[in-house]
C-alpha cells in the first residue's frame, strides 16, 4: 500500500507543478500590432481588437455621382483627367521656411476637395471643383472654404464652386482659358 500511496502523492505533486507552470510561466499572448509605436493608443492591443473596417456601400453620394457624370460629359472633348476626393496636400504644398513647414502642412493634410481636373499628359493640376450644398453655409464650412480658397489661390490653382451643373462646360473652359500660362 505504501507504493500506491507514494505513486498517488507523486501524481498529485506532478499535477500541482503542471497547474503552477500554467499560471506562473504562462506565455504572453503575442500582440500583432500594425503600428508598434507607443504613440498609437492601440499599440498593445491585438489587431483583431482594433483593426476593424468595412467597405462603404457607395463611393459618391447621389449628388456627387450625378455631378461627376455631368463633369465627365462636359469635359469629354477636353484633354483632361478628372480625379475625385483628392487630398489638398496632394495638390499644393507649403512654400514656407523649414521652421514653419510642418505647421503649414498639417493645415492641408486632412482637407480634401471634391474634384480635380488635371492635364492628361503630365497630370498637372488645372482646376479644383467644389460641389457646394447647403452645408457650405455653416460657419465652420465657410471658414474651411475660405482657407482652401486662399491656399489654392496662393498656389495659383483656380477653384470653381458649383451648386449645379448648368453651364458647367462653359465655366470650366473660361477658367482654363484665363488661368494657366505656366
Amino acid at each position: 500500500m505504501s507504493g500506491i500511496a507514494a505513486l498517488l502523492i507523486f501524481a498529485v505533486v506532478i499535477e500541482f507543478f503542471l497547474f503552477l507552470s500554467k499560471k506562473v510561466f504562462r506565455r504572453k499572448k503575442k500582440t500583432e500590432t500594425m503600428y508598434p509605436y507607443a504613440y498609437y493608443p492601440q499599440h498593445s492591443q491585438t489587431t483583431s481588437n482594433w483593426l476593424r473596417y468595412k467597405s462603404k456601400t457607395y463611393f459618391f453620394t447621389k449628388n456627387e455621382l450625378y455631378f461627376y457624370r455631368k463633369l465627365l460629359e462636359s469635359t469629354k472633348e477636353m484633354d483632361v483627367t478628372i480625379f475625385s476626393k483628392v487630398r489638398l496636400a496632394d495638390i499644393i504644398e507649403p512654400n514656407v521656411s523649414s521652421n514653419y513647414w510642418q505647421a503649414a502642412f498639417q493645415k492641408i493634410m486632412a482637407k480634401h476637395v471634391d474634384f480635380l481636373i488635371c492635364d492628361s499628359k503630365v497630370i498637372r493640376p488645372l482646376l479644383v471643383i467644389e460641389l457646394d450644398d447647403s452645408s457650405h453655409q455653416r460657419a465652420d464650412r465657410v471658414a474651411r472654404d475660405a482657407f482652401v480658397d486662399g491656399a489654392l489661390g496662393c498656389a495659383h490653382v483656380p477653384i470653381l464652386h458649383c451648386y449645379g451643373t448648368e453651364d458647367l462646360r462653359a465655366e470650366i473652359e473660361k477658367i482654363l482659358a484665363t488661368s494657366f500660362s505656366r
Side-chain angles (χ1 to χ4, degrees), residues 7-166:
L7 190 58
L8 189 59
I9 291 173
F10 182 72
V12 168
V13 169
I14 297 264
E15 189 64 35
F16 175 74
F17 279 113
L18 287 175
F19 173 78
L20 195 61
S21 69
K22 286 181 184 177
K23 292 289 184 187
V24 175
F25 301 110
R26 180 187 306 182
R27 285 187 175 179
K28 291 185 177 179
K29 191 174 188 179
K30 182 180 177 183
T31 57
E32 301 169 28
T33 57
M34 197 167 180
Y35 305 106
Y37 305 107
Y39 55 83
Y40 286 97
Q42 306 89 348
H43 78 281
S44 63
Q45 299 175 359
T46 62
T47 55
S48 63
N49 288 339
W50 65 272
L51 193 57
R52 293 185 182 186
Y53 300 97
K54 68 177 187 170
S55 175
K56 287 186 169 186
T57 305
Y58 302 104
F59 182 69
F60 286 132
T61 65
K62 287 181 183 179
N63 288 341
E64 289 170 336
L65 180 59
Y66 176 79
F67 185 85
Y68 179 70
R69 288 180 176 152
K70 291 294 185 179
L71 185 57
L72 287 175
E73 185 180 308
S74 298
T75 60
K76 68 182 172 188
E77 295 172 8
M78 299 178 194
D79 192 19
V80 296
T81 302
I82 299 171
F83 297 96
S84 62
K85 300 187 180 190
V86 180
R87 189 174 65 135
L88 194 56
D90 293 325
I91 303 168
I92 62 174
E93 61 186 348
N95 188 19
V96 296
S97 69
S98 59
N99 295 342
Y100 302 103
W101 192 93
Q102 188 65 37
F105 180 76
Q106 286 178 345
K107 289 183 178 185
I108 62 172
M109 73 179 191
K111 290 179 176 55
H112 291 76
V113 296
D114 293 326
F115 299 99
L116 174 66
I117 296 179
C118 291
D119 169 271
S120 286
K121 291 183 178 84
V122 293
I123 312 298
R124 174 184 56 160
L126 298 176
L127 173 65
V128 167
I129 299 178
E130 281 284 272
L131 181 58
D132 291 346
D133 57 14
S134 60
S135 71
H136 286 259
Q137 295 172 2
R138 292 189 336 237
D140 62 325
R141 291 297 294 191
V142 169
R144 179 249 181 226
D145 288 347
F147 172 79
V148 170
D149 291 356
L152 289 168
C154 184
H156 305 291
V157 178
I159 184 168
L160 173 63
H161 289 270
C162 292
Y163 297 93
T165 58
E166 292 191 23

